[in-house]
Amino acid sequence: MSRPIRARIDLSALRHNHAVVRRHAGSAHIWSVIKADAYGHGVSRVARALASEADGFALLELDAAMSLRQSGIAQPMLMLEGFYDAAELPLYAKFGLIPVVHCVEQVAMLAAATLPARLPLYLKLDTGMHRLGLTADELRRSLDVLRKRSAVSDITLMTHFADADEPAGIADQMQHLRAMTDGLDLPLCLANSAALLRFAESHGNWVRPGIMLYGASPFPAMRSADDLGLRPVMTLQSELIAVRDLVVGDRVGYGGAFVAEKPMRIGVVACGYGDGYPRHAPTGTPIIVAGKRTRTVGRVSMDKIFVDLSKIPEAIIGTAVTLWGDGVSADEVATAAGTVSYELFCALANRVPVTETMMEAE
Ligand SMILES: *Cc1c(COP(=O)(O)O)cnc(C)c1O
């Protein structure tokens, strides 16, 4: 027997969520965002599972993009940070990758390049997030330079929203975008998951959903994933490896962060921050044991966490535990731990074995 922790990746849920994206996107094309190893779900597994329905894939790791191409993924691929060095440009041409060009230094590298094939590209505009993107002036100057170059073919304009999941929304950035692009007749790519779901005016020609594909909500405080019709793709599960009775005053785990106030039973789960469970999850974080919701108690350690078994008398060593996924959403666990589902998914550790499931289409 090996250590009982597993991450189960439900590829039919992934395809279901892609269909939800498609319904919201209407006539816009969809870049399925698969950066960061598909948000920890496995980039080649996710690309394969979506290969028949995806319009394109967006990521930023060159190695991953090249290996997807070599494994037969034929869709367009958008590289969200573009190239970091002119030496990468021949690879963009060879592997058919589309760079996001976000700074004048990249424009200069492109202008100086001689390439075997003309590159389509995305020009990223800073409409208020002040992270990546060209200013209005830089956009005009870049277009002047790039339109003269034989190295460049179709240009799409792109921006990214800072508050699509916040009360502020996207109105200010949309206004900036309109001012910056006035008189330019170029395709647009704007929306992440939150904007796609909340603001139809952001859909443009291509949308860029990530988190919703994996079945989490981009704004869990406003609407749950379930409410949005999304299904969890990753379920992290393990088992109890110890069960013990506490008397009043017993301290539990590092620092005695939990102290029994009444006699109670607790379980020890084979899962800790070394597996990607958030160390900041406090006592009270929701978790499922033997199919029932309960709470964690005490401090998360590298390999283990504690659960309250007061209302689950049937729990014994080997009883199934769900950390997040089916029955308890990653959003709930992330919220309890003061973070976002994105971080939980990306943090899934290498040592956790992954199994894939693919049920029949519903
Ligand atoms: C990661 C990313 C996305 C996807 O965002 P979600 O919130 O996961 O939908 C879209 N656009 C860019 C530029 C990104 O970096």
Side-chain angles (χ1 to χ4, degrees):
M1 260 294 281
S2 55
R3 191 161 174 262
I5 191 166
R6 294 279 177 281
R8 194 159 43 74
I9 302 294
D10 180 353
L11 297 173
S12 45
L14 178 72
R15 297 172 68 163
H16 165 88
N17 297 337
H18 189 277
V20 174
V21 170
R22 181 75 74 193
R23 273 206 299 283
H24 284 275
S27 60
H29 295 287
I30 302 167
W31 290 114
S32 292
V33 179
I34 57 170
K35 63 189 175 187
D37 199 27
Y39 293 42
H41 291 68
V43 66
S44 68
R45 158 186 310 120
V46 164
R48 246 187 302 116
L50 293 180
S52 56
E53 51 256 81
D55 299 325
F57 293 106
L59 68 171
L60 44 78
E61 301 86 354
L62 187 56
D63 287 354
M66 293 190 298
S67 91
L68 289 180
R69 273 282 179 265
Q70 275 159 341
S71 72
I73 297 291
Q75 273 91 346
M77 284 194 217
L78 180 67
M79 304 300 285
L80 291 168
E81 292 179 351
F83 45 92
Y84 307 92
D85 190 296
E88 293 164 30
L89 281 169
L91 295 173
Y92 274 70
K94 176 171 174 205
F95 288 88
L97 310 177
I98 305 173
V100 169
V101 170
H102 62 78
C103 62
V104 292
E105 290 79 0
Q106 286 175 321
V107 173
M109 286 188 244
L110 258 180
T114 28
L115 297 173
R118 281 152 59 91
L119 278 190
L121 57 88
Y122 272 46
L123 279 184
K124 185 167 188 176
L125 313 181
D126 179 8
T127 55
M129 185 166 180
H130 299 130
R131 192 173 62 173
L132 299 181
L134 305 171
T135 64
D137 275 358
E138 289 170 342
L139 169 63
R140 299 291 157 160
R141 277 186 276 127
S142 299
L143 284 173
D144 285 348
V145 171
L146 293 171
R147 280 176 164 154
K148 291 190 204 115
R149 306 305 302 186
S150 58
V152 174
S153 65
D154 301 343
I155 295 178
T156 300
L157 300 178
M158 160 182 174
T159 197
H160 193 57
F161 297 119
D163 295 307
D165 57 335
E166 300 279 340
I170 64 168
D172 279 3
Q173 284 189 256
M174 285 299 287
Q175 202 181 333
H176 270 102
L177 179 77
R178 281 190 210 102
M180 285 174 85
T181 59
D182 190 33
L184 297 176
D185 188 19
L186 293 171
L188 294 175
C189 174
L190 315 175
N192 57 3
S193 298
L196 171 66
L197 290 166
R198 285 181 75 199
F199 305 109
E201 68 271 27
S202 73
H203 289 182
N205 303 77
W206 284 80
V207 293
R208 301 189 306 273
I211 197 67
M212 67 182 288
L213 287 174
Y214 306 100
S217 171
F219 32 68
M222 281 187 256
R223 284 186 78 181
S224 70
D226 195 42
D227 196 35
L228 294 165
L230 301 170
R231 286 170 36 194
V233 177
M234 182 192 295
T235 293
L236 183 62
Q237 51 196 33
S238 189
E239 294 178 2
L240 297 182
I241 58 168
V243 172
R244 59 210 320 117
D245 292 300
L246 304 179
V247 299
V248 173
D250 278 350
R251 303 165 80 245
V252 174
Y254 286 119
F258 178 80
V259 180
E261 290 176 354
K262 53 183 176 29
M264 64 186 288
R265 263 172 102 236
I266 60 165
V268 180
V269 184
C271 176
Y273 64 78
D275 302 296
Y277 195 85
R279 185 174 172 280
H280 294 291
T283 291
T285 301
I287 188 166
I288 290 183
V289 179
K292 295 181 181 160
R293 236 168 210 266
T294 180
R295 56 172 187 151
T296 65
V297 296
R299 204 173 279 170
V300 174
S301 46
M302 186 182 292
D303 313 307
K304 286 170 266 300
I305 56 178
F306 303 95
V307 290
D308 184 349
L309 299 180
S310 302
K311 298 194 180 118
I312 313 178
E314 70 273 28
I316 55 172
I317 287 179
T319 292
V321 176
T322 300
L323 290 308
W324 64 69
D326 279 332
V328 56
S329 70
D331 288 322
E332 291 173 89
V333 175
T335 300
T339 182
V340 289
S341 63
Y342 301 72
E343 189 178 18
L344 300 194
F345 296 150
C346 287
L348 183 74
N350 263 326
R351 75 175 182 183
V352 177
V354 176
T355 59
E356 289 176 18
T357 60
M358 171 74 92
M359 279 148 226
E360 289 304 303
E362 66 263 32

